[in-house]
Amino acid sequence: MILNTLIFAYGFQLLGDGKNILRICNVIALLFSLTTLICLNGIHRKTWAAVLSTLCVLFLIMMLFDFSIHRYGDLDYSNLEYLGSMSNSADIFWTDIMLTGLGAIMDVTVTISAATGEIVRKNPSVSIRKLIHSGREIGYDIMGTMINVLLFVLVSGMIPMFILKMNNEIRFITLVRYHIPYDICRFLIESIGIVLAIPVSVLIASIIMKIPSLKRSGK
């Protein structure tokens, strides 16, 4: 947590120096993934499997978000809190989605990578096909709870804002119409990330964990 706080502070320092916020976010997302997973698991194959899976899924969901914007049009950021008057509102919202989804994606990839590594340790002769099947079943078990956690976090974050604005005579339907779409967008992109993290991490972890066994069998 201390290292991630220092990384976050370094990112703000770069932003204060006029650096591009998207480049800063890409760098700190990589650093967040490396420091968190290495500190938790050490230098191990399951760590590299989780890091690689996290970065691949993060890349996929951001490319999906970029494609949807170019295909169906960008969001109207004029109603987003404190961003409507800024020239780089789209970049700030982009980084918001990336960093918010990073934690949930890492949680899924670490769980699947650790479980896959334990299966290989207990049964080194297990085939990649069976390993992928086992990892997929584990992913199905955690997918629903992770998406629910994400939903509850977003809802709990909206409650204070809703109460404050309704006390200032802003109608509930107005809040739903102009403010909830941003949170829905975050929730959908991050939920897609959780779903994508399962097959991606299962495939990457299964291959990485089985590489030593495949090399020994090849000899």
Side-chain angles (χ1 to χ4, degrees):
M1 190 172 63
I2 293 173
L3 287 174
N4 285 338
T5 302
L6 293 175
I7 293 170
F8 204 59
Y10 178 67
F12 271 106
Q13 180 64 39
L14 293 177
L15 183 61
D17 294 337
K19 304 296 183 181
N20 183 274
I21 189 172
L22 288 179
R23 294 181 180 177
I24 295 173
C25 185
N26 291 334
V27 172
I28 65 175
L30 175 61
L31 294 177
F32 282 151
S33 302
L34 289 173
T35 55
T36 301
L37 297 176
I38 290 176
C39 287
L40 290 176
N41 299 322
I43 306 299
H44 192 274
R45 289 198 307 272
K46 65 182 179 182
T47 301
W48 303 124
V51 170
L52 184 57
S53 301
T54 299
L55 297 179
C56 287
V57 174
L58 200 59
F59 174 79
L60 289 174
I61 64 171
M62 297 316 296
M63 289 302 99
L64 177 62
F65 181 50
D66 186 64
F67 170 78
S68 63
I69 286 175
H70 285 85
R71 180 67 176 82
Y72 301 104
D74 204 352
L75 296 171
D76 180 11
Y77 300 103
S78 60
N79 293 307
L80 191 59
E81 293 293 322
Y82 307 111
L83 296 186
S85 60
M86 302 181 70
S87 59
N88 61 340
S89 300
D91 293 344
I92 295 175
F93 191 66
W94 178 290
T95 58
D96 180 14
I97 290 179
M98 181 183 294
L99 294 180
T100 304
L102 183 62
I105 293 171
M106 277 198 296
D107 197 343
V108 175
T109 58
V110 167
T111 301
I112 292 179
S113 297
T116 304
E118 187 65 16
I119 292 172
V120 174
R121 190 180 70 85
K122 294 290 186 179
N123 183 16
S125 62
V126 63
S127 65
I128 291 183
R129 182 176 180 180
K130 291 183 178 179
L131 196 58
I132 290 176
H133 177 75
S134 299
R136 185 179 61 189
E137 293 300 319
I138 295 170
Y140 289 159
D141 290 338
I142 65 175
M143 179 176 63
T145 55
M146 284 300 303
I147 292 177
N148 276 332
V149 168
L150 188 63
L151 176 63
F152 295 148
V153 169
L154 291 176
V155 170
S156 64
M158 289 188 296
I159 290 175
M161 182 269 291
F162 268 51
I163 294 176
L164 178 63
K165 294 194 173 185
M166 290 175 69
N167 286 339
N168 285 276
E169 299 182 353
I170 298 178
R171 294 190 306 165
F172 178 79
I173 191 64
T174 302
L175 294 174
V176 172
R177 182 177 179 183
Y178 292 108
H179 295 277
I180 280 188
Y182 306 109
D183 295 296
I184 292 176
C185 181
R186 290 190 191 98
F187 173 72
L188 290 177
I189 293 295
E190 292 156 15
S191 298
I192 291 172
I194 291 174
V195 175
L196 282 177
I198 295 172
V200 172
S201 58
V202 166
L203 179 61
I204 292 176
S206 298
I207 293 175
I208 290 179
M209 295 300 174
K210 285 294 293 181
I211 283 177
S213 300
L214 294 175
K215 287 183 178 179
R216 287 195 294 269
S217 63
K219 291 179 180 180

